């Protein structure tokens, strides 16, 4: 009897490492668009990064990462959903955003939403705007496309993600304006996400797409599209290395795009800081850098307060640009 009691006491007082260590969380990554576009790629990059082994532990950063799709309003539906009382404090739910999300936020397309209404976690990378056509298109260069738009703007349908004032719309409007074309004469077709635009272009529902280089990287290998111009300062490495910039072709437009994750406004500070630290470690691994390149993105890593500061400055800049284009509500 005494021996049994003694053994029980030893078991109670012995260290329990398996119980003491916090279990890797189950994560829900929300894509605010349909599958196949750059938002989807961002979530999948986060998924790979979180499922790799944590250098500081003998387990992955997350036990699982479930990707769910919540399209609508280029992020507006996801913003409203996460702002609901039920989801405001979900500690393991991450939502994808892009520079386009910030542009819409600046224009009031998320209602009265402000940058401080959510918690900005991590920027995973960046890419650039691009202009593409079908692989069998008669337009072989940006000059060919511009000439066609000047001759018959009503006969060239341009697929964009979102409506007037969206990021894709602004990019193409700037290219047109720099080329001496009034953006108001162009025919835009509003779609939901880059994947849907590529599908529409393959069906010849639209003849041109204003999109992102990460989306082009995803589709270029299958010869689905011909990229006419990248909106970067200089030519990009990788599969798009042979594609000239718009600047090279006489159209001075550069459009970088941040890609990252945010979470609900009432997530406890401890959980928020845990995710900031998690992405700091995950993005520092050589494997993450390889996955980012494979996703068509380029190095751009910010987390926590530094990312929040960047977002605030970007929204202010987009607000000024939108006002100049007469897009402010």
């Amino acid at each position: 009897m005494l021996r049994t009691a003694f053994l029980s006491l030893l078991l109670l007082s012995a260290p329990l490492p398996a119980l003491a260590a916090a279990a890797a969380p189950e994560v829900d990554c929300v894509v605010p668009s349909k599958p196949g576009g750059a938002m989807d790629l961002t979530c999948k990059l986060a998924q790979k990064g979180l499922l790799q082994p944590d250098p500081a532990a003998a387990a992955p950063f997350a036990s699982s990462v479930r990707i769910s799709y919540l399209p609508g309003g280029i992020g507006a539906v996801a913003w409203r959903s996460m702002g609901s009382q039920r989801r405001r404090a979900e500690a393991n739910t991450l939502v994808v955003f892009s520079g386009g999300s910030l542009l819409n936020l600046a224009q009031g397309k998320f209602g009265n939403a402000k940058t401080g209404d959510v918690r900005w976690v991590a920027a995973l990378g960046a890419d650039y705007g691009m202009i593409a056509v079908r692989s069998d298109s008669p337009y072989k260069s940006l000059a060919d496309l511009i000439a066609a738009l000047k001759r018959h703007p009503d006969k060239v349908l341009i697929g964009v993600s979102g409506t007037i004032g969206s990021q894709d719309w602004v990019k193409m409007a700037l290219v047109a304006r720099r080329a001496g074309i009034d953006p108001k004469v162009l025919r835009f077709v509003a779609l939901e996400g880059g994947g849907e635009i590529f599908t529409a272009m393959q069906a010849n529902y639209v003849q041109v797409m204003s999109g992102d280089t990460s989306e082009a990287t995803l589709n270029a290998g299958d010869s689905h599209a011909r990229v006419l111009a990248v909106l970067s300062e200089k030519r990009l490495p990788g599969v798009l290395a042979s594609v000239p910039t718009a600047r090279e072709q006489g159209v001075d437009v550069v459009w970088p795009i941040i890609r990252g994750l945010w979470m609900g406004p009432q997530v406890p500070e401890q959980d928020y800081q845990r995710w900031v630290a998690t992405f700091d470690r995950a993005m520092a691994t050589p494997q993450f850098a390889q996955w980012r390149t494979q996703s068509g993105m380029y190095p751009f890593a910010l987390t926590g307060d530094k990312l929040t500061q960047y977002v605030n400055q970007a929204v202010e800049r987009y607000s000024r640009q939108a006002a100049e284009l007469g897009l402010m509500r």
Side-chain angles (χ1 to χ4, degrees):
M1 186 74 176
L2 289 173
R3 185 171 182 272
T4 302
F6 180 69
L7 288 173
S8 298
L9 183 62
L10 282 177
L11 287 172
L12 288 171
S13 60
L16 299 174
L19 295 177
E26 297 180 355
V27 179
D28 186 12
C29 186
V30 178
V31 180
S33 68
K34 294 182 179 180
M39 293 280 202
D40 195 8
L41 280 174
T42 305
C43 227
K44 289 175 179 175
L45 175 59
Q47 183 183 53
K48 290 178 180 178
L50 292 175
L51 293 179
Q52 69 174 320
D54 183 351
F61 293 102
S63 61
S64 65
V65 180
R66 183 174 72 93
I67 296 177
S68 56
Y69 299 90
L70 197 58
I74 317 300
V77 172
W79 188 282
R80 286 195 297 269
S81 174
M82 291 304 298
S84 68
Q85 196 61 39
R86 183 176 64 87
R87 307 198 68 181
R88 290 168 68 85
E90 291 184 3
N92 295 324
T93 298
L94 303 166
V95 185
V96 174
F97 78 92
S98 71
S101 309
L102 302 183
L103 178 62
N104 286 344
L105 185 60
Q107 295 179 56
K109 292 190 175 183
F110 291 179
N112 295 322
K114 307 296 181 186
T115 57
D117 292 345
V118 301
R119 312 201 74 170
W120 304 95
V121 179
L124 306 185
D127 63 342
Y128 294 87
M130 64 87 194
I131 308 297
V133 295
R134 278 171 47 133
S135 56
D136 59 354
S137 170
Y139 312 132
K140 308 295 185 183
S141 66
L142 186 60
D144 289 344
L145 174 60
I146 289 171
L149 291 173
K150 286 182 175 179
R151 286 195 307 270
H152 301 291
D154 58 318
K155 295 183 179 180
V156 182
L157 298 181
I158 304 166
V160 296
S161 184
T163 56
I164 293 176
S166 70
Q167 177 173 235
D168 289 349
W169 185 95
V170 171
K171 287 182 292 191
M172 194 65 205
L174 289 173
V175 167
R177 177 174 286 185
R178 296 288 191 277
I181 302 170
D182 183 355
K184 293 179 181 178
V185 305
L186 301 181
R187 293 186 64 190
F188 291 97
V189 177
L191 298 164
E192 185 71 42
E196 189 168 276
I197 301 175
F198 267 105
T199 300
M201 191 164 67
Q202 292 313 305
N204 206 30
Y205 180 57
V206 299
Q207 290 75 53
V208 181
M209 81 169 289
S210 172
D212 309 326
T213 54
S214 55
E215 297 164 344
T217 299
L218 183 67
N219 288 272
D222 296 327
S223 299
H224 287 166
R226 177 188 301 132
V227 181
L228 300 182
V230 292
L231 307 184
S232 54
E233 295 89 349
K234 56 184 179 181
R235 291 202 184 193
L236 301 172
V239 298
L240 301 179
S242 63
V243 179
T245 66
R247 276 183 172 176
E248 285 181 68
Q249 302 176 75
V251 180
D252 189 10
V253 177
V254 174
W255 192 275
I257 304 159
I258 183 176
R259 303 206 172 277
L261 302 158
W262 57 264
M263 62 197 322
Q266 292 181 354
V267 171
E269 180 68 16
Q270 182 178 354
D271 290 308
Y272 172 67
Q273 293 299 337
R274 169 172 58 86
W275 280 115
V276 168
T278 293
F279 278 101
D280 280 335
R281 297 198 306 276
M283 292 192 293
T285 64
Q287 186 62 58
F288 185 87
Q290 294 178 22
W291 288 326
R292 181 178 55 213
T293 298
Q294 291 169 4
S295 298
M297 299 183 205
Y298 303 91
F300 189 88
L302 288 177
T303 59
D305 291 342
K306 291 183 178 179
L307 173 60
T308 301
Q309 182 180 8
Y310 175 92
V311 166
N312 288 334
Q313 293 173 346
V315 170
E316 289 179 7
R317 182 174 67 252
Y318 285 141
S319 295
R320 292 193 297 270
Q321 291 176 335
E324 292 170 4
L325 291 171
L327 297 173
M328 294 300 289
R329 293 188 172 186

